[in-house]
Amino acid sequence: MPSALPDGEPVPADGALPASALAGAAERPLAFYLHVPYCATRCGYCDFNTYTAAELRGSGGALASRDNYAEVLSEEIRLARKVLGDDPRQAATVFVGGGTPTLLPPAALGAMLDAVRQEFGLAQDAEVTTEANPDSVDAASLAALREAGFNRISFGMQSARRHVLAVLERTHTPGRPEACVAEARAAGFEHVNLDLIYGTPGETDDDWRASLDAAVAAGPDHVSAYSLIVEDGTRLAARVRRGEVPMPDDDVHADRYLIADEALSAAGFGWYEISNWATSEPARCRHNELYWTGADWW
Ligand SMILES: C[S@@+](CC[C@H](N)C(=O)[O-])C[C@H]1O[C@@H](n2cnc3c(N)ncnc32)[C@H](O)[C@@H]1O
Ligand code: SF4
């Protein structure tokens, strides 16, 4: 029977790290990525590690249920504390990603953050981000997240055009992500990101410009623009294989990337990483920068 494990050495059960990983650690910032592997529905293009309620039921309990996920994840943070021993570093950044973290109640995300606080402490200026789906937040939940200590939020917008959202199988209506930015600002979030996707089958240059304009007009201080990748095993890949929708074209992607940089630069967003633009240096995603600069992250 083929092994379900990927190639290579499995992680030791006690989480132990090799001495080489710990050497010089004091010189590097320490970051935490907390993954929340749940979504209400799976978008046709997405191959992230995430499960819908039906998939959880189908697992017959093999997957952690949403109800006790914060506790399971906090256990992992306590394991990190054990492994890192008396390492004095506090968390420079925490990024809660998904899946859709905001499918869990704000109190559960707050509990996960509390576990980092208790075990490691948060640096005074720590950047604390959560991703969110525009369908899964409202003014009250955003206020609760801010209260729990989140100071940055990232919404999946993808497009302002209804027909593009339909091909991507997004569930939110055009306009909802922009409204989320206003709600997040009202809740006190200083840093707000919108994720966009370009090159979706059926999207025109003008559709893409309209999405960029709508994103900018909403007033985020950060925009991520990703080229649509047709990932193996997704519904989108099956539709491309059956000839129902065309494979996104590399030249179209390249043109849309230039359109993005032009529109975002004109609106005061500076390009600082392959797919990321920010209105100022403090608006850059520090967590992302720590990945690129070889910081430690758990
Ligand atoms: C974890 S999701 C963001 C939060 C939330 N789950 C949502 O979708 O609204 C991360 C982002 O990755 C991008 N993404 C996921 N799969 C992609 C793909 N196949 N091609 C391009 N971008 C993709 C989307 O822009 C998405 O917003
Ligand atoms: S794009 Fe976001 S909402 Fe859609 S399936 Fe992926 S993680 Fe879930």
Side-chain angles (χ1 to χ4, degrees):
M1 203 175 114
S3 164
L5 292 173
D7 292 341
E9 286 289 308
V11 175
D14 63 0
L17 292 172
S20 59
L22 295 165
E27 311 303 316
R28 296 186 294 270
L30 177 64
F32 284 83
Y33 173 74
L34 313 182
H35 189 68
V36 179
Y38 305 114
C39 286
T41 61
R42 184 182 284 273
C43 308
Y45 55 88
C46 182
D47 77 341
F48 288 19
N49 182 1
T50 187
Y51 304 91
T52 61
E55 287 166 341
L56 288 176
R57 276 194 301 277
S59 85
L63 297 166
S65 90
R66 278 194 222 164
D67 299 339
N68 67 353
Y69 188 71
E71 186 41 42
V72 170
L73 191 130
S74 300
E75 198 49 52
E76 170 80 15
I77 293 163
R78 292 191 279 273
L79 174 70
R81 174 76 281 171
K82 263 190 224 144
V83 171
L84 293 176
D86 55 6
D87 186 328
R89 290 176 295 170
Q90 296 186 315
T93 63
V94 179
F95 193 102
V96 183
T100 304
T102 45
L103 264 194
L104 298 186
L109 301 185
M112 288 159 38
L113 188 54
D114 279 345
V116 176
R117 255 195 213 105
Q118 275 155 23
E119 299 298 335
F120 290 89
L122 288 178
Q124 213 213 329
D125 64 341
E127 175 192 272
V128 185
T129 304
T130 185
E131 290 188 322
N133 185 301
D135 278 338
S136 63
V137 292
D138 57 25
S141 68
L142 290 167
L145 287 168
R146 187 69 197 87
E147 180 69 19
F150 289 89
N151 53 29
R152 185 172 183 277
I153 191 157
S154 171
F155 297 106
M157 171 175 171
Q158 323 311 352
S159 175
R161 291 294 202 218
R162 196 176 294 276
H163 72 97
V164 176
L165 293 173
V167 173
L168 293 173
E169 301 185 59
R170 295 292 291 184
T171 53
H172 57 82
T173 47
R176 177 62 201 142
E178 296 92 308
C180 286
V181 176
E183 289 172 12
R185 293 291 193 202
F189 280 91
E190 190 186 353
H191 299 300
V192 183
N193 172 61
L194 289 173
D195 282 342
L196 294 173
I197 289 180
Y198 56 89
T200 300
E203 182 193 61
T204 63
D205 285 354
D206 281 346
D207 288 332
W208 177 229
R209 284 194 190 92
S211 294
L212 289 160
D213 290 348
V216 163
D221 64 352
H222 191 285
V223 171
S224 300
Y226 301 114
S227 64
L228 178 67
I229 307 294
V230 179
E231 302 283 2
D232 284 349
T234 58
R235 279 196 300 275
L236 178 64
R239 294 184 68 196
V240 169
R241 208 171 42 244
R242 290 196 297 265
E244 289 170 22
V245 292
M247 184 74 170
D249 180 87
D250 286 348
D251 289 332
V252 168
H253 270 156
D255 289 345
R256 302 258 159 93
Y257 189 51
L258 295 177
I259 291 172
D261 191 49
E262 207 173 284
L264 292 169
S265 300
F269 288 75
W271 175 84
Y272 74 95
E273 185 260 41
I274 301 173
S275 307
N276 289 297
W277 288 258
T279 52
S280 68
E281 187 120 4
R284 293 178 179 185
C285 177
R286 235 186 320 139
H287 185 83
N288 191 24
E289 292 191 304
L290 290 185
Y291 289 143
W292 285 96
T293 51
D296 285 344
W297 58 276
W298 192 290

